[in-house]
Amino acid sequence: MVVKKPRIVIIGAGMAGLTAANKLYTATASKDFFELCVVEGGSRIGGRINTSEFGGDRIEMGATWIHGIGGSPIHKIAQEIHSLRSDQPWECMDGNTDEAITIAEGGFHLHPSIVDPITKLFNNLMEYSQGKLNEATAKGELESYHKLAALAAKVASNRSGNNNLSIGSFLRQGLETYQISKEQEEVKGCGEWSRKLLEEGIFGMHENNQRTYTSADDLLTLDYSAESEYRMFPGEEITIAKGYLSIIESLASVLPPGLIQLGRKVIRIEWQLDERKGLENGCCSSKPVKLHFCDGSVMSADHVIVTVSLGVLKSAIRDDSGMFCPPLPSSKTEAISRLGFGVVNKLFMQLSPKHGGGKHEYQHEHVNDDSDKGFPFLQMVFHSPQSETRHKKIPWWMRRTATLFPIYNNSSVLLSWFVGEEALALESLKDEEIINGVSSTVSCFLQHSQWQKGSSSHRLCNGNANSEERSQENEVKFSKVLKSKWGTDPLFLGSYSYVAVGSSGDDLDAMAEPLPKDSSCQPSASSPLQILFAGEATHRTHYSTTHGAYFSGLREANRLLQHYHCVGIYNN
Ligand SMILES: Cc1cc2nc3c(=O)[nH]c(=O)nc-3n(C[C@H](O)[C@H](O)[C@H](O)COP(=O)(O)OP(=O)(O)OC[C@H]3O[C@@H](n4cnc5c(N)ncnc54)[C@H](O)[C@@H]3O)c2cc1C
């Protein structure tokens, strides 16, 4: 009897691929059931998890947060491997969001009485869209938010048609309904800003945060009904002190040397659409899938688990790509086309020593002058890009950035998130252009604040576009920057997925369907499960996250394990 071990090749050494490899290996290693290997196109493991270093601090270029610690498998691993504590400084945002200050373009520090109602409105609208604010439980103040949100949803869906309602149009309708229902005093001392403009600007800032969470460049493309299907874990959202990569390294640590092959970019996947072609002398073909690599080498396999990003799949289904041969069926290509995959980038900036690039001190006129503080957690309210009163020195690619903040209390490394068009533009800008653009922006926002102890408070701009004269030497400077480039990296072509208007959770399910489907219990079946799909974009309720990727890797590993329980693993 000849023992044929099924060969399973996993494409991609990110969270999904390594979880699948870990599961398949640990579930069967002692019996040596499978010939297993992971082929990774890049020169490192981790994929969209990439812990790095900047200014001596540990930072994350990709995945940053454990989104809710209650029930998260990532949190469980982090606890088991003691990754949640570290002596080295890391990107932890340790509580400074509580002390966020909101400043409107021109340097107008906004009082909570202006900001908080809009923040509350925005949060309640989002909770409504997520199904968390419902009639039965909404009492007191929440009842009025519920009514407002329900009305906004009705008006917006009448306008766009029930199946095409976007989060963007629902939110804007919510703001309009709110503004109509409230008569409020005009604000004073905010230059060109009226209350209405400020409310729109603050609302826009929250929309920009939402763009970052979802990766949707334009919230008008983000599907409304899918929002209530998305699941979050309860509990705190935390970062991983020893770095997100420690989770990946832990998953990989059980695998024998050589099982993960780096620098092995797959350029073509040949599979057997017609099952009969997979038959050899009436028997199941031993290796129905052929992988072609960029160096010209070829590898055959019984099963391939594809974990590449949705961005890579979108590029793979273009007419001329030839990545899949035969091409993927329309159920797959339509889901791939319809789902959204946006670009989100992180920009790290080191403050120059003159401006606090050691331990630095920041004071704001509106804050107790005696309390020396590091750079604030800054929330930025911009004028609209078309506004005549906008500050011309602020580049367009900064205008939809919501926040700028130190990566931990008193850190001299600041972080901003960029989405969509702006995130892509950032990738091609020179460091010097970025430094100048961010410096001008920060200076415009902090011009009414004291920067560095000892420097006198300076009011060089009153928020009027005509008075942009500013002392160059007071401009906040950065000595270096580091940015991610997820949009143009050919191994990712974007950051994470979202349900776009026109797609639905069904498309995420279609993404997870294996090819050909497992019909192994039927007598005529041959070569089932040639191509399996894992990765964050294949999880209906946890897409866009590391734990979604983790669950998808487990799912596909279990699918194969179950398959072999059914048919056995030995062929004569
Ligand atoms: C900026 C940013 C911030 C994020 N923040 C968070 C967060 O805070 N919390 C969270 O939970 N998630 C976050 N995410 C999302 C999270 O990182 C991803 O959902 C998750 O890591 C995806 O894992 P994956 O295994 O599905 O895909 P990937 O990590 O993309 O793995 C796929 C692998 O396939 C490889 N590959 C691609 N093409 C080929 C080829 N042709 N041949 C061979 N190999 C190939 C790639 O190099 C990659 O290593 C963030 C992502 C980004 C980009």
Side-chain angles (χ1 to χ4, degrees):
M1 186 178 77
V2 179
V3 177
K4 281 189 185 174
K5 283 195 280 182
R7 183 183 291 160
I8 300 173
V9 180
I10 298 169
I11 304 180
M15 179 61 90
L18 291 179
T19 303
N22 178 291
K23 177 71 187 175
L24 286 166
Y25 188 77
T26 52
T28 62
S30 57
K31 302 178 192 83
D32 205 15
F33 273 4
F34 301 122
E35 234 184 90
L36 185 63
C37 92
V38 179
V39 290
E40 164 56 50
S43 55
R44 59 173 181 86
I45 60 171
R48 280 170 273 170
I49 291 171
N50 185 11
T51 306
S52 186
E53 217 179 82
F54 183 67
D57 294 338
R58 189 178 287 131
I59 51 137
E60 304 290 352
M61 300 299 281
T64 306
W65 299 94
I66 295 177
H67 290 301
I69 59 175
S72 161
I74 309 300
H75 183 246
K76 188 162 176 274
I77 299 173
Q79 274 184 318
E80 280 164 9
I81 62 173
H82 309 290
S83 265
L84 298 173
R85 296 270 168 277
S86 170
D87 297 333
Q88 193 194 329
W90 83 99
E91 185 188 336
C92 69
M93 278 71 88
D94 54 356
N96 54 12
T97 44
D98 297 342
E99 296 164 25
I101 58 168
T102 310
I103 301 187
E105 187 171 340
F108 302 102
H109 187 103
L110 300 181
H111 195 269
S113 62
I114 299 175
V115 181
D116 292 355
I118 300 300
T119 303
K120 235 180 193 178
L121 169 71
F122 188 89
N123 291 342
N124 277 300
L125 287 169
M126 283 312 300
E127 296 245 310
Y128 180 87
S129 71
Q130 290 156 358
K132 295 179 197 157
L133 178 66
N134 48 55
E135 204 167 3
T137 53
K139 299 279 175 257
E141 190 191 26
L142 289 183
E143 199 178 341
S144 56
Y145 282 115
H146 179 270
K147 275 192 186 141
L148 185 150
L151 179 62
K154 196 171 162 198
V155 175
S157 57
N158 281 346
R159 245 184 233 156
S160 36
N162 257 343
N163 293 335
N164 289 322
L165 180 57
S166 69
I167 286 291
S169 55
F170 162 69
L171 287 173
R172 279 286 145 174
Q173 185 58 52
L175 177 63
E176 201 182 312
T177 311
Y178 170 86
Q179 286 181 321
I180 290 169
S181 69
K182 296 247 170 207
E183 258 190 41
Q184 300 197 78
E185 251 179 62
E186 200 39 87
V187 290
K188 294 193 185 87
C190 284
E192 303 289 318
W193 287 97
S194 64
R195 181 178 285 271
K196 185 165 187 291
L197 285 178
L198 275 178
E199 286 179 348
E200 280 166 12
I202 297 163
F203 200 82
M205 176 183 81
H206 290 303
E207 285 175 319
N208 286 332
N209 270 329
Q210 200 58 34
R211 291 170 62 236
T212 308
Y213 301 150
T214 59
S215 93
D217 187 10
D218 184 347
L219 295 182
L220 292 174
T221 66
L222 183 65
D223 188 62
Y224 174 86
S225 35
E227 201 60 25
S228 58
E229 272 203 85
Y230 191 76
R231 290 284 165 268
M232 298 276 286
F233 291 119
E236 255 185 299
E237 302 205 56
I238 58 167
T239 56
I240 302 177
K242 289 210 173 76
Y244 234 112
L245 200 58
S246 62
I247 308 292
I248 289 289
E249 283 164 350
S250 161
L251 290 168
S253 64
V254 301
L255 305 174
L259 191 145
I260 303 173
Q261 302 176 9
L262 299 178
R264 299 277 279 153
K265 185 174 179 187
V266 175
I267 53 166
R268 190 174 169 86
I269 303 171
E270 274 177 41
W271 59 294
Q272 308 289 338
L273 181 59
D274 180 349
E275 288 177 351
R276 280 160 307 182
K277 283 190 196 161
L279 298 177
E280 279 173 6
N281 303 326
C283 295
C284 177
S285 160
S286 54
K287 306 272 178 263
V289 190
K290 283 200 169 35
L291 297 178
H292 296 255
F293 294 89
C294 57
D295 62 3
S297 60
V298 179
M299 184 190 271
S300 55
D302 295 279
H303 310 281
V304 171
I305 305 181
V306 175
T307 75
V308 303
S309 75
L310 178 57
V312 171
L313 286 175
K314 278 179 184 286
S315 150
I317 61 167
R318 287 195 193 112
D319 293 345
D320 53 349
S321 117
M323 176 71 154
F324 290 93
C325 181
L328 295 176
S330 59
S331 58
K332 212 49 137 185
T333 54
E334 284 166 11
I336 292 171
S337 308
R338 279 192 294 253
L339 286 165
F341 194 68
V343 182
V344 175
N345 276 319
K346 295 176 76 173
L347 172 68
F348 296 91
M349 297 151 275
Q350 169 90 63
L351 282 163
S352 67
K354 182 170 171 255
H355 292 281
K359 175 177 163 21
H360 53 264
E361 293 141 47
Y362 165 87
Q363 293 182 336
H364 197 280
E365 282 180 347
H366 302 262
V367 183
N368 178 3
D369 271 4
D370 296 325
S371 65
D372 290 348
K373 293 195 169 181
F375 194 96
F377 189 105
L378 176 61
Q379 303 193 125
M380 295 178 284
V381 176
F382 287 96
H383 281 298
S384 86
Q386 295 80 29
S387 167
E388 273 308 304
T389 48
R390 76 185 191 280
H391 287 68
K392 310 284 186 314
K393 282 191 178 174
I394 297 178
W396 70 269
W397 46 266
M398 276 301 295
R399 287 199 163 273
R400 292 203 292 169
T401 303
T403 52
L404 176 71
F405 51 90
I407 59 171
Y408 54 85
N409 261 344
N410 283 326
S411 172
S412 59
V413 173
L414 306 186
L415 166 64
S416 268
W417 293 72
F418 293 77
V419 194
E421 231 187 315
E422 290 84 355
L424 265 181
L426 191 75
E427 295 192 18
S428 59
L429 288 174
K430 294 195 184 81
D431 285 2
E432 200 191 335
E433 291 174 289
I434 295 175
I435 287 175
N436 290 338
V438 179
S439 295
S440 303
T441 309
V442 175
S443 298
C444 172
F445 275 83
L446 294 183
Q447 62 190 288
H448 296 168
S449 307
Q450 285 184 12
W451 178 251
Q452 287 192 302
K453 199 176 180 187
S455 76
S456 58
S457 159
H458 48 282
R459 267 183 192 277
L460 298 170
C461 176
N462 65 2
N464 185 323
N466 298 326
S467 39
E468 272 192 355
E469 299 297 317
R470 193 177 308 133
S471 153
Q472 288 293 319
E473 67 196 40
N474 280 326
E475 203 160 82
V476 175
K477 286 283 179 212
F478 300 96
S479 51
K480 59 177 179 172
V481 292
L482 177 68
K483 65 192 175 190
S484 59
K485 289 183 172 186
W486 298 107
T488 48
D489 187 326
L491 291 171
F492 303 97
L493 299 173
S495 299
Y496 36 93
S497 55
Y498 64 93
V499 179
V501 171
S503 65
S504 71
D506 290 350
D507 284 334
L508 290 158
D509 284 344
M511 292 290 295
E513 282 290 313
L515 296 171
K517 275 194 187 172
D518 185 5
S519 51
S520 54
C521 293
Q522 294 162 17
S524 61
S526 63
S527 307
L529 302 181
Q530 292 171 44
I531 311 182
L532 302 95
F533 293 84
E536 55 87 10
T538 68
H539 199 286
R540 182 160 185 147
T541 55
H542 287 295
Y543 55 90
S544 81
T545 62
T546 53
H547 54 267
Y550 176 92
F551 287 140
S552 73
L554 271 191
R555 181 192 64 219
E556 296 313 313
N558 283 329
R559 197 193 295 276
L560 285 173
L561 290 169
Q562 275 165 18
H563 173 70
Y564 281 98
H565 283 158
C566 183
V567 298
I569 60 159
Y570 295 98
N571 288 324
N572 284 324

